[in-house]
Amino acid sequence: MQFQCWETSVGQEFYKLSMFHFLELLAEFLFLKLPRSFLFSRYQCRLIRWLGKEKFVLSQNVLDMVYGQTLVWGGMFYTPLLPLLNLIFIFITFYIKKFSVFHLYDVSQRLFQESTLRIMFHFVLFLGLMTVFLPLTYLLTSARPSRSCGLFTDYNTPWEAVKNRTHSALPPTALTVLTYLTSDIGAYSLLLILILVLTCYVSRVRQNELDVELLKEHLSNQIEDKEFLVRRLRKEEDIQSHTVDP
């Protein structure tokens, strides 16, 4: 029976996904965006004019970045050099997108609010993190490592190797604190602290929204007062002009 190092197979798949993601972006730039912009600038064909220049869609570019980052999070445990490879991809992608924005794209008619984009970006990024974190947690705590390769061949789970190394390296006081943090009481305490932090954050956000509404109302009242004073001043000037011209 032939054995298989499944960690290596998983890492190779993440390498392939990252590479294909970058090659897709590069091929789209070289074989779609450049020819389309060249034809639009050189020819006056009705079909080409109907197609027009490609619009820059900010949400699509944000999703591409989140997808690349999710691949890095998912494959970092099995392929330690994947973040370095992704850093090179991001460096090249930045200049490709910069050139596309300044020379190939047309101005989009759709406006995006910064707050909406920030919320969408954080939500999608958090969703990608959870999608990677939950399976990786299961693999670290429950999955049996390969017996033929890797750093955890002599352990039942990778987390067992971490615990053994921790117990042999840390002093007794630190082990006591770590044991408390990893117990049920520590988890409940951490959850309670997280709830308090989130509650304070939500309360602060609501208070900021209320302050913004009050400032808007105050500014509106000031504008109305100034308009009233301007109208009154004009009315007095008209009265004075009529009294001067008998």
Side-chain angles (χ1 to χ4, degrees), residues 76 109 127 132 160 200 204 210 216 223 243:
M76 188 166 52
Q109 300 298 325
L127 184 62
V132 172
E160 183 181 349
C200 294
R204 183 61 180 173
L210 180 60
K216 287 181 179 180
I223 293 174
T243 56

Side-chain angles (χ1 to χ4, degrees), residues 62 66 116-128 201:
V62 169
V66 172
T116 304
L117 282 178
R118 187 185 295 114
I119 293 173
M120 184 192 71
F121 179 76
H122 289 166
F123 173 75
V124 177
L125 199 62
F126 177 76
L127 184 62
Y201 177 77

Side-chain angles (χ1 to χ4, degrees), residues 169-228:
L170 294 179
T173 304
L175 289 176
T176 303
V177 175
L178 186 61
T179 302
Y180 173 77
L181 292 177
T182 55
S183 62
D184 294 337
I185 298 177
Y188 291 145
S189 302
L190 182 61
L191 182 60
L192 180 61
I193 294 173
L194 182 60
I195 292 174
L196 293 176
V197 171
L198 291 177
T199 303
C200 294
Y201 177 77
V202 172
S203 301
R204 183 61 180 173
V205 170
R206 291 180 178 176
Q207 183 63 38
N208 290 336
E209 292 177 353
L210 180 60
D211 293 340
V212 169
E213 294 296 329
L214 292 176
L215 288 175
K216 287 181 179 180
E217 184 178 357
H218 181 67
L219 182 60
S220 177
N221 292 333
Q222 285 188 341
I223 293 174
E224 291 179 358
D225 293 340
K226 290 181 179 180
E227 290 178 351
F228 173 75

Side-chain angles (χ1 to χ4, degrees):
M1 181 177 180
Q2 296 181 352
F3 58 82
Q4 182 180 6
C5 186
W6 63 269
E7 291 94 344
T8 302
S9 301
V10 173
Q12 289 174 352
E13 294 301 321
F14 276 104
Y15 266 127
K16 292 177 183 178
L17 290 174
S18 298
M19 184 66 68
F20 286 152
H21 181 236
F22 174 72
L23 292 178
E24 178 188 3
L25 184 144
L26 189 62
E28 183 182 4
F29 171 73
L30 293 176
F31 300 113
L32 291 179
K33 296 178 181 179
L34 279 178
R36 181 175 178 177
S37 179
F38 175 78
L39 293 175
F40 182 82
S41 61
R42 294 298 180 89
Y43 299 99
Q44 303 295 325
C45 177
R46 181 177 298 178
L47 178 60
I48 296 176
R49 289 297 172 184
W50 178 75
L51 291 175
K53 281 189 175 182
E54 187 174 359
K55 299 293 190 299
F56 180 77
V57 182
L58 187 58
S59 57
Q60 181 64 39
N61 288 272
V62 169
L63 291 177
D64 288 339
M65 293 177 58
V66 172
Y67 176 70
Q69 184 62 45
T70 304
L71 291 178
V72 173
W73 284 336
M76 188 166 52
F77 178 73
Y78 305 100
T79 54
L81 293 180
L82 186 60
L84 178 60
L85 182 65
N86 189 68
L87 182 63
I88 298 173
F89 290 163
I90 290 176
F91 181 80
I92 300 174
T93 302
F94 171 77
Y95 286 100
I96 290 177
K97 291 185 179 294
K98 181 180 178 181
F99 179 84
S100 300
V101 168
F102 283 102
H103 298 91
L104 304 182
Y105 284 121
D106 195 5
V107 179
S108 178
Q109 300 298 325
R110 184 179 180 183
L111 300 177
F112 293 92
Q113 295 182 359
E114 182 183 357
S115 59
T116 304
L117 282 178
R118 187 185 295 114
I119 293 173
M120 184 192 71
F121 179 76
H122 289 166
F123 173 75
V124 177
L125 199 62
F126 177 76
L127 184 62
L129 178 62
M130 289 295 101
T131 304
V132 172
F133 177 75
L134 296 179
L136 187 60
T137 302
Y138 171 77
L139 292 175
L140 289 175
T141 57
S142 302
R144 190 180 186 88
S146 299
R147 297 304 182 187
S148 58
C149 65
L151 302 174
F152 312 107
T153 55
D154 298 330
Y155 302 95
N156 294 323
T157 60
W159 186 248
E160 183 181 349
V162 175
K163 290 194 296 184
N164 292 340
R165 179 65 64 179
T166 302
H167 282 284
S168 61
L170 294 179
T173 304
L175 289 176
T176 303
V177 175
L178 186 61
T179 302
Y180 173 77
L181 292 177
T182 55
S183 62
D184 294 337
I185 298 177
Y188 291 145
S189 302
L190 182 61
L191 182 60
L192 180 61
I193 294 173
L194 182 60
I195 292 174
L196 293 176
V197 171
L198 291 177
T199 303
C200 294
Y201 177 77
V202 172
S203 301
R204 183 61 180 173
V205 170
R206 291 180 178 176
Q207 183 63 38
N208 290 336
E209 292 177 353
L210 180 60
D211 293 340
V212 169
E213 294 296 329
L214 292 176
L215 288 175
K216 287 181 179 180
E217 184 178 357
H218 181 67
L219 182 60
S220 177
N221 292 333
Q222 285 188 341
I223 293 174
E224 291 179 358
D225 293 340
K226 290 181 179 180
E227 290 178 351
F228 173 75
L229 292 175
V230 170
R231 289 194 301 268
R232 184 174 179 178
L233 182 60
R234 288 179 179 176
K235 185 176 180 180
E236 291 179 355
E237 290 178 352
D238 292 339
I239 294 174
Q240 290 180 358
S241 61
H242 287 300
T243 56
V244 173
D245 299 332

